[in-house]
């Protein structure tokens, strides 16, 4: 179990770094090998093959949506940004869901069990809170690279509400909204705090058995307060990563590394 979790965590971390162009696309081979090994070990432990494939489909679909939401000529169309919802964030993290669902399954819990619902709900909120904080930290880099995420989706929604119409957006408009709209900044900070608080609330009946997880959530809340108290600076003179029109190799590498079914042959 520990080795399966470790391989899956490595695969998820490396896949994210491939998407962010932080490591060579050739690392996609390692991502695929680690992901397949993790999935196979979970299958041999008795985790439902159907559950594994369901999580895989969610994850692959989310990564495809992310790649399709890269800026074209420095601009995003409304349909690109509208697709990057909170549900998309959770689907993208399907590999992390397995880290929790596998032990629950092996413990004999049913998806209808209150503990299952509480723990998975807490995990979703923690995933969303961490993604929101990461997006805020990386906003300038992501805009330079033509990448979009959940925070950019929220900023775009605020712009469209103010304008009363959906229109394509460029990075300067998104950065300007984040820098100048104090109300938006406060709402996002409150959303991060709320997600952490709801995660803790979901875990309240089990807090005696999960002290480490509660510590992780408390640390996330503190980290978020620090991040959202700081307004980032933006430098658009340098592009931190290739834009959408030069991402063909990255797209193909991530697509291959995200799909695990080809060699997964473990029956229910």
């Amino acid at each position: 179990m520990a080795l399966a979790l470790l391989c899956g965590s490595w695969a998820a971390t490396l896949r994210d770094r491939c998407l962010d162009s932080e490591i060579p696309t050739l690392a996609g081979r390692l991502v695929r090998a680690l992901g397949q090994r993790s999935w196979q070990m979970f299958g041999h432990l008795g985790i439902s093959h159907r559950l594994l494939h369901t999580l895989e489909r969610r994850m692959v679909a989310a990564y495809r949506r992310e790649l399709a939401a890269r800026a074209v000529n420095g601009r995003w169309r409304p349909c690109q940004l509208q697709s990057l919802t909170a549900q998309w964030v959770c689907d993208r993290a399907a590999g992390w869901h397995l880290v929790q669902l596998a032990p629950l399954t092996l413990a004999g819990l049913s998806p209808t069990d209150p503990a299952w619902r509480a723990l998975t709900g807490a995990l979703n909120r923690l995933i969303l809170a961490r993604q929101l904080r990461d997006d805020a930290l990386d906003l300038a880099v992501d805009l330079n690279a033509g990448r979009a995420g959940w925070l950019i989706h929220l900023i775009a929604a605020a712009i469209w509400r103010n304008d009363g119409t959906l229109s394509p957006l460029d990075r300067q408009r998104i950065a300007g909204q984040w820098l100048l709209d104090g109300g938006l900044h406060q709402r996002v900070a409150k959303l991060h705090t709320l997600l952490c608080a709801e995660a803790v609330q979901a875990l309240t009946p089990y807090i005696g058995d999960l002290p480490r997880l509660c510590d992780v959530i408390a640390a996330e809340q503190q980290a978020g307060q620090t991040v959202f108290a700081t307004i980032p600076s933006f430098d658009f003179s340098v592009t931190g990563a290739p834009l959408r029109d030069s991402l063909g190799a990255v797209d193909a590498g991530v697509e291959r590394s995200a799909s695990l079914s080809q060699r997964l042959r473990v029956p229910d």
Side-chain angles (χ1 to χ4, degrees):
M1 171 65 77
L3 186 56
L5 296 176
L6 186 59
C7 288
S9 298
W10 281 345
T13 300
L14 290 174
R15 186 180 299 111
D16 287 348
R17 296 193 66 185
C18 278
L19 276 169
D20 292 344
S21 303
E22 295 175 359
I23 57 177
T25 56
L26 287 176
R29 297 179 181 177
L30 178 59
V31 173
R32 183 176 177 82
L34 287 167
Q36 286 177 338
R37 183 60 178 149
S38 175
W39 251 242
Q40 287 168 350
M41 285 188 284
F42 279 126
H44 287 302
L45 285 168
I47 305 302
S48 168
H49 201 197
R50 189 172 295 105
L51 172 62
L52 294 175
H53 280 293
T54 297
L55 291 173
E56 179 194 1
R57 284 193 296 271
R58 288 175 57 191
M59 180 177 64
V60 172
Y63 278 118
R64 285 175 177 166
R65 194 180 306 174
E66 179 173 356
L67 290 169
R70 298 293 171 92
V72 179
N73 297 324
R75 294 166 67 86
W76 287 275
R77 300 187 307 276
C79 62
Q80 289 178 291
L81 299 181
Q82 285 178 306
S83 69
L84 304 182
T85 62
Q87 183 61 56
W88 164 76
V89 174
C90 293
D91 289 343
R92 188 180 185 274
W96 295 109
H97 284 77
L98 186 58
V99 172
Q100 186 179 60
L101 297 182
L104 293 178
T105 300
L106 295 179
L109 289 182
S110 163
T112 60
D113 189 285
W116 180 295
R117 292 198 299 270
L119 291 172
T120 53
L123 177 63
N124 279 333
R125 285 163 175 77
L126 177 59
I127 287 170
L128 288 169
R130 296 187 70 168
Q131 187 64 57
L132 200 57
R133 175 173 60 86
D134 286 347
D135 284 355
L137 276 172
D138 298 337
L139 183 59
V141 175
D142 288 342
L143 289 174
N144 265 338
R147 293 189 295 263
W150 190 32
L151 177 57
I152 291 178
H153 163 95
L154 295 175
I155 297 171
I159 293 174
W160 292 327
R161 279 196 300 270
N162 292 340
D163 290 353
T165 183
L166 299 181
S167 59
L169 299 174
D170 59 26
R171 57 188 182 178
Q172 286 86 357
R173 181 74 190 277
I174 292 171
Q177 189 75 23
W178 183 244
L179 289 170
L180 300 175
D181 189 343
L184 171 63
H185 209 269
Q186 291 177 359
R187 290 195 299 274
V188 172
K190 288 180 179 178
L191 175 58
H192 181 273
T193 300
L194 178 63
L195 288 167
C196 292
E198 289 181 344
V200 171
Q201 183 179 7
L203 295 177
T204 298
Y206 316 98
I207 198 166
D209 300 315
L210 299 167
R212 175 58 184 151
L213 184 54
C214 293
D215 289 344
V216 169
I217 297 172
E220 175 60 35
Q221 185 166 2
Q222 181 62 46
Q225 291 173 355
T226 301
V227 168
F228 291 111
T230 304
I231 302 294
S233 59
F234 293 89
D235 180 7
F236 291 137
S237 62
V238 178
T239 299
L243 292 177
R244 184 68 180 87
D245 55 5
S246 61
L247 277 170
V250 176
D251 291 6
V254 171
E255 176 73 19
R256 287 194 297 270
S257 69
S259 181
L260 308 173
S261 296
Q262 184 176 353
R263 298 181 184 177
L264 189 61
R265 296 291 183 270
V266 183
D268 280 336

